[in-house]
């Protein structure tokens, strides 16, 4: 097999968070989560597949055109995990070259977009399933999950649900599925503006953070809360109750960080400016009554979510009151939704 295939894949932001893995499985979530894809924050990945030259398959990985041997062990683990469903990987050498369309060192996790793009290209390279079909995307989601859990949700334009839940019969722990029901107009056109308050390396990786849930005193209560929040959020997406949407999304972000702060050992990824941005959003929302809220991923940066129909007023708020808290005034803006693309 000699093939070169390129995919771009969006990043995603979870509304209900995946935090904690099931014991005994490989990359199975302790609770269901749901996310919006971020169409303007993407990884573009090219894979070159050739018949293997040596005894064992060989991998070369490049980031932004430069060899990144330090990433290779993690990608090799990923390739081993997905080989049972993509057996051709045992017979080929791979050169994988990836780049993001957002600045490095912005402190924005790119693993969801990166593993999403890699999984799509590898499933395409196998050549069995027709690209863009449900079966193709499901297999890509399954593979992406084995690289990074949140990556399973990046292959869909619609909000993506990952993890079994009574609230959505088609959902699975093994792959994400799209929530294809009609979404109320008040929640269908939101933007994410990510305030880069700290571009540094995280002190504790997500993978290590997940592991701390194993012995966490509040873990079971948190998993139950997440299931309840997901259930309610699906109702809210249908009904358009924006106030409930905001309450669930902000509570999810704070619960995520509360779990970090109450892990043993404890840690904290929020920074003073994280809290300042949150306070500003709350104050602006009280004053303006506009549909705006925040969420956080496992880091200090604040995702400001708002209804795009109020772009002008909210841009003015961001420029005048939030940028002072951003490192070098940096923030990244993306529409929500957006599909992967074969290039
Ligand atoms: C806080 O998917 O990065 O962003 O599966 O170990 O790779 P691994 O973890 P990862 O965890 C993401 C956690 C989160 C919440 C979320 O995206 O749901």
């Amino acid at each position: 097999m000699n093939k070169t295939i390129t995919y771009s894949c969006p990043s995603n932001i979870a509304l209900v968070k995946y935090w904690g893995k099931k014991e005994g499985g490989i990359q199975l979530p302790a609770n269901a989560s749901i996310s919006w894809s971020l169409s303007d924050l993407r990884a573009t990945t090219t894979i070159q597949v050739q018949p293997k030259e040596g005894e064992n398959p060989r991998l070369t990985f490049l980031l932004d055109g430069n060899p990144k041997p330090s990433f290779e062990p993690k990608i090799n683990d990923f390739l081993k995990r997905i080989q049972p469903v993509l057996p051709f990987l045992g017979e080929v050498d791979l050169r994988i070259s990836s780049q993001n369309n957002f600045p490095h060192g912005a402190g924005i996790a790119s693993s969801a977009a990166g593993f999403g793009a890699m999984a799509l290209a590898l499933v395409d390279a196998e050549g069995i399933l027709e690209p863009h079909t449900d079966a193709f995307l499901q297999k890509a989601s399954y593979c992406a999950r084995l690289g990074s859990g949140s990556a399973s949700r990046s292959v869909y334009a619609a909000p993506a649900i990952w993890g079994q839940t009574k609230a959505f019969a088609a959902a699975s722990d093994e792959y994400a599925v799209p929530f294809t029901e009609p979404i109320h107009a008040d929640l269908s056109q939101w933007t994410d503006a990510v305030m880069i308050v700290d571009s540094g390396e995280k002190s504790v990786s997500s993978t290590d953070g997940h592991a701390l849930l194993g012995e966490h005193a509040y873990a079971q209560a948190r998993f139950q809360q997440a299931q309840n929040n997901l259930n309610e959020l699906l109702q809210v997406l249908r009904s358009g109750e924006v106030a409930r949407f905001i309450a669930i999304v902000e509570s999810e972000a704070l619960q995520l960080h509360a779990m970090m702060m109450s892990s043993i050992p404890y840690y904290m990824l929020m920074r003073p400016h994280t809290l300042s941005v949150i306070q500003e959003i709350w104050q602006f929302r009280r004053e303006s009554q506009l549909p705006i809220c925040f969420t956080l991923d496992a880091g200090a940066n604040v995702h400001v979510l708002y209804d795009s129909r109020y772009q002008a007023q909210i841009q003015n708020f961001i420029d005048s009151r939030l940028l002072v808290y951003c490192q070098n005034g940096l923030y990244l803006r993306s529409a929500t939704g957006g599909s992967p693309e074969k290039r």
Side-chain angles (χ1 to χ4, degrees), residues 35-37 153 155-161 177-181 183 337-339:
S35 61
W36 274 336
S37 69
R153 300 185 308 239
V155 305
Y156 300 108
I161 301 171
V177 294
F179 180 66
T180 47
E181 293 176 34
I183 293 182
S339 313

Side-chain angles (χ1 to χ4, degrees), residues 12-21 27-28 31-35 74 81 109 111-112 115 144-153 162 202 205-211 222 252 256-257 260 296-299:
N12 71 77
I13 181 68
L15 303 172
V16 172
K17 307 293 180 182
Y18 149 54
W19 198 240
K21 304 185 191 193
Q27 290 283 90
L28 301 176
N31 62 263
S33 57
I34 183 167
S35 61
K74 189 162 187 205
R81 281 183 183 174
S111 65
F115 279 110
R145 173 200 115 226
L146 291 169
S148 180
S150 53
S152 67
R153 300 185 308 239
W162 173 44
K202 288 188 270 194
S205 74
S206 288
T207 303
D208 293 344
H210 285 289
R222 160 63 199 154
E252 276 290 317
L256 168 69
H257 283 258
M260 297 173 190
L296 304 166
D297 62 13

